[in-house]
Amino acid sequence: MNIDKRTDFNHRKPPIDKIVLSTCLAGLAACTPTQKPVQETKPNIVIIYLDDLGFGDVGAYGATGLQTPNMDKLANEGVRFNNGYATSATCTPSRYGLLTGMYPWRNTEAKILPGTAPLLIDTNQITIPKMLKKQGYHTGIVGKWHLGLGDGYADWNQHIAPGPNEVGFDYSYIMAATQDRVPTVYIENGKVAGLDPNDPIEVNYEQNFEGEPTGKDNPELLTMKWHHGHNNSIVNGIPRIGFMKGGEKAKWKDVEMADHFLSKAQEYVKEHKNEPFFLYYAMQQPHVPRTPHPRFEGSSGMGPRGDVIVEADWCIGEFIKTLEEEGLLENTLIIFSSDNGPVLNDGYYDDAVEKLGDHKPGGPFRGGKYSLYEAGTHVPLITYWKGKVTPVVSDALVCQIDLLASLARLVGGDAGSTDSRDFMEVLLGVKEDGRKELILEATSRTALRKDNWVMIPPYKGPAVEKQVNIELGNSAEYQLYDLNTDPGQQNNLAQKNPEKLQEMISVFEGIRGQTNAEIEQLELK
């Protein structure tokens, strides 16, 4: 698909004969013939992963109302992919696919999880951190987890396992689920940080604890008004999903969360700068509740959603400064992306709709979070490696699911048997022959992208999710779109091009399976 490149002054393909993939101790790095080969040291690897950031929310991808200079720097000095995809249009499945290299629809439990869900990733499963640990990397996660903890009956007052540490991370500093879900505490290496043992935590997603106020029953205690679904326990004046009691000293302060996670990410880098490290920096912005630090309030003119994107951009800039100050930037591969597409009103009244103006969070695409249309999974994806990657805008089809195999190639590791494929040279901007086909997923429904075409099977259900006002992609008919001429998916070509439709169905069924209990397909007419 061709995105307008008029503003892309770096849009050029580096000649292959002027690029050398120099073999490191255990991997690859790009350099020109005039450069000395990379020293035999393994590159640090950082994945910066945002939450609900849309394709059109970044300046380098066409945003004009928002200022994102640090994201733009990564894009303009790295490889900016026009066809980058998350594995799902919702958070938990995408995070599962990213870390395991497996399509999330292969695991029927890979859905948006409550804060009390058991660990979704099998402890015997290969993951990016596990693979890297075997190659001598120290591995860390800072930020949002949302892949379950324990066995489903976690005692939040004791060591909570299994969790990130049991699937490959040497260090973990996380929130269990999302900022709008309980428990509203940080967890460091399996233990709630700052917990007072005399004030134990209790969590329940079914019923409230006696005497505890809720957003539904105590609106006078709220500083943020709920729109739908977020009317249970109140923390910092914000009503949440789920019920929680106790742990007062351990509860986070929402407006300080971005600074807090940034500080932990910076500390991790400084502590492990003398060894190869992998950091999964999973930021919480711009997921609800959007709570910018006071110094960012009003910075975007778009209300809290815009403000937290500006805040996230600042955090990224500060983090990169730390890498530079520690002398690590030129030996660090940074991968930037988002877990799924954008959503405006996702449970709270926060002016995201009212102050949107001409800004288009999904860019040229239809749909958004929860949707099988492009804006659900078609997200910003950037690779940056100072001095090693020649700036380029790439039209290659790439997906986060392929990071496992690609990084394994980089460091000489083993990705095992997964859905992940090695596209390291594509990620480094050396080649453009990415994926030919990709299964797209949104809330257990799946579709197919092949080359520039997208096929969405028939699905029962509403066409629009009214609570969030997003088109879901459901239709009684097959849908077929040519993204090369119709990125906004306005012209369904299923009836006009039956041969292409049948080709797409055949490929889809060959990967996905002809029968699936969770797909409600109708007869092709």
Side-chain angles (χ1 to χ4, degrees), residues 441-462:
E441 191 266 351
T443 58
S444 299
R445 297 163 298 129
T446 49
L448 172 71
R449 170 153 184 186
K450 183 177 185 297
D451 299 322
N452 286 319
W453 292 87
V454 169
M455 184 278 296
I456 304 176
Y459 291 101
K460 294 179 181 178

Side-chain angles (χ1 to χ4, degrees), residues 369-428:
K369 185 178 181 179
Y370 312 110
S371 176
L372 274 177
Y373 287 129
E374 282 296 285
T377 52
H378 200 144
V379 294
L381 199 157
I382 300 163
T383 55
Y384 172 90
W385 192 350
K386 185 177 180 181
K388 308 298 189 301
V389 169
T390 300
V392 63
V393 177
S394 174
D395 287 328
L397 177 58
V398 292
C399 181
Q400 296 163 10
I401 203 172
D402 295 317
L403 292 181
L404 172 60
S406 300
L407 293 174
R409 168 97 183 280
L410 179 70
V411 303
D414 183 2
S417 179
T418 66
D419 294 305
S420 189
R421 299 293 177 263
D422 169 25
F423 291 107
M424 194 67 242
E425 290 170 312
V426 177
L427 292 174
L428 292 177

Side-chain angles (χ1 to χ4, degrees), residues 92 95 113-119 141 143-150 154 156 160 163-164 173-179 181-188 192 203 205 252 257 261:
T92 295
R95 292 161 196 274
L113 297 179
T116 53
L119 180 65
I141 172 176
K144 175 179 173 177
W145 177 238
H146 208 187
L147 288 165
L149 293 169
W156 303 96
I160 307 160
Y173 193 93
I174 62 170
M175 64 165 117
T178 56
Q179 194 178 340
R181 286 175 172 82
V182 299
T184 52
V185 294
Y186 299 117
I187 301 169
E188 186 171 28
V192 173
V203 177
Y205 270 70
W252 64 52
M257 181 175 286
F261 281 145

Side-chain angles (χ1 to χ4, degrees), residues 15-20 30-37:
I16 297 299
D17 61 352
K18 292 187 179 180
I19 295 283
V20 177
C31 60
T32 67
T34 59
Q35 292 174 322
K36 294 182 180 180

